[in-house]
Amino acid sequence: MSALKEEWRSAKGIYTTIALSAVLGMGLLLIQQRLQIDLRILIGCWIVSLVWWLAWALYNLSYWRKLQALLPLLRGEKAREYIRGVEKLLQTAKGKDLKTSLRVNLAAGYMEVREFDTACSLLEELSDKQLNKDIMRLIRCVNLFQCYFQVGRYDEGLALYHANRSLLQWYENDEAQGSGVAVVNILAAIHEGRREEAERMLDAARSTWSDPSFQTVAQNIEDMLARQSPCGQQ
């Protein structure tokens, strides 16, 4: 699950920046009227802040565009090129939020080439404090959960699942993230011995999420269930 789709979009980010600058300008005008400060000084401060915010927005936008250009490489035989591209962006990126988002996207690349230990390390380095948006915490949770299960760290995966249960429930019906949450719910049910519930959730998810990548994952889960005994033991 890549984080790119859930980051702010260029137009929205720039419009927000302009709106915040306008609010700041009005606030400075009120301060000027109350404190009788030279209006030219306040206008200068407002212009500097506007330029700074616009520069910040455009800087981030340039990286999202570069990352978006790499995204088609993520699926298929060019995932290694995607990884190299994201690593190159990380070498020059500035700002905590930008670097955090790039690391989440880099972990998705390593998951695609089935280097789950490397993906685990990248995601484990990110704390909730670094992830200042619920959607980023969700993506980290879903991806890290799947990595734990791929490398056999089931107890850690289930602990992560239960620690983030309310967050997962919030996004269960989300158009973009619901299928990832469904995978987590199904795998947790399987490894907690709730086989019948897992099968019902799998059937419901298959009829809800038509994305080819999810259908592939769903088939893998069905194959795993077929190899298990009814009690859920492999």
Side-chain angles (χ1 to χ4, degrees):
M1 182 185 291
S2 171
L4 177 61
K5 294 180 181 178
E6 303 304 331
E7 284 302 296
W8 72 222
R9 302 301 184 184
S10 58
K12 183 178 179 180
I14 292 175
Y15 292 154
T16 300
T17 297
I18 294 172
L20 288 173
S21 297
V23 171
L24 177 61
M26 290 186 288
L28 289 173
L29 184 59
L30 290 174
I31 293 174
Q32 186 272 333
Q33 291 176 344
R34 286 206 171 197
L35 301 181
Q36 298 298 309
I37 299 174
D38 190 333
L39 184 59
R40 290 173 296 180
I41 295 176
L42 287 179
I43 290 176
C45 292
W46 179 80
I47 291 174
V48 169
S49 66
L50 176 60
V51 170
W52 189 92
W53 279 104
L54 283 174
W56 173 86
L58 291 172
Y59 176 78
N60 281 272
L61 173 58
S62 69
Y63 274 85
W64 299 135
R65 285 180 171 171
K66 292 175 184 177
L67 186 57
Q68 189 172 28
L70 292 171
L71 198 59
L73 302 174
L74 182 59
R75 307 300 178 198
E77 299 179 357
K78 296 185 177 181
R80 291 286 179 189
E81 292 183 36
Y82 170 86
I83 290 171
R84 287 193 291 270
V86 178
E87 287 177 337
K88 187 176 180 180
L89 292 178
L90 264 170
Q91 291 174 2
T92 57
K94 305 295 183 183
K96 181 188 69 174
D97 292 344
L98 177 58
K99 287 183 176 180
T100 296
S101 296
L102 288 173
R103 288 191 180 101
V104 172
N105 280 280
L106 180 59
Y110 280 109
M111 291 176 69
E112 189 67 23
V113 297
R114 304 191 67 78
E115 293 187 15
F116 296 106
D117 285 319
T118 302
C120 272
S121 297
L122 283 166
L123 295 170
E124 286 174 334
E125 290 173 358
L126 303 175
S127 66
D128 283 346
K129 290 182 179 180
Q130 291 174 277
L131 303 167
N132 60 1
K133 298 178 183 178
D134 282 347
I135 189 63
M136 295 300 294
R137 285 190 283 271
L138 175 80
I139 292 171
R140 174 187 179 271
C141 174
V142 169
N143 287 358
L144 184 55
F145 176 92
Q146 294 185 56
C147 287
Y148 280 152
F149 273 73
Q150 288 288 345
V151 299
R153 295 165 63 180
Y154 304 121
D155 290 342
E156 290 172 271
L158 290 173
L160 178 70
Y161 171 75
H162 288 293
N164 291 274
R165 194 71 190 95
S166 60
L167 179 64
L168 292 164
Q169 288 176 335
W170 183 262
Y171 284 94
E172 280 181 350
N173 298 313
D174 183 81
E175 182 178 351
Q177 306 300 334
S179 60
V181 174
V183 171
V184 171
N185 287 335
I186 294 166
L187 289 176
I190 291 172
H191 288 278
E192 288 181 336
R194 297 180 279 119
R195 181 188 177 91
E196 292 185 1
E197 182 181 351
E199 290 174 340
R200 289 195 300 270
M201 288 192 293
L202 179 59
D203 290 339
R206 273 183 151 168
S207 63
T208 302
W209 314 106
S210 59
D211 180 75
S213 61
F214 171 76
Q215 293 297 328
T216 299
V217 173
Q219 184 60 52
N220 292 337
I221 293 174
E222 183 177 339
D223 294 342
M224 180 174 62
L225 284 168
R227 294 192 298 268
Q228 291 182 332
S229 65
C231 65
Q233 300 295 321
Q234 294 197 16

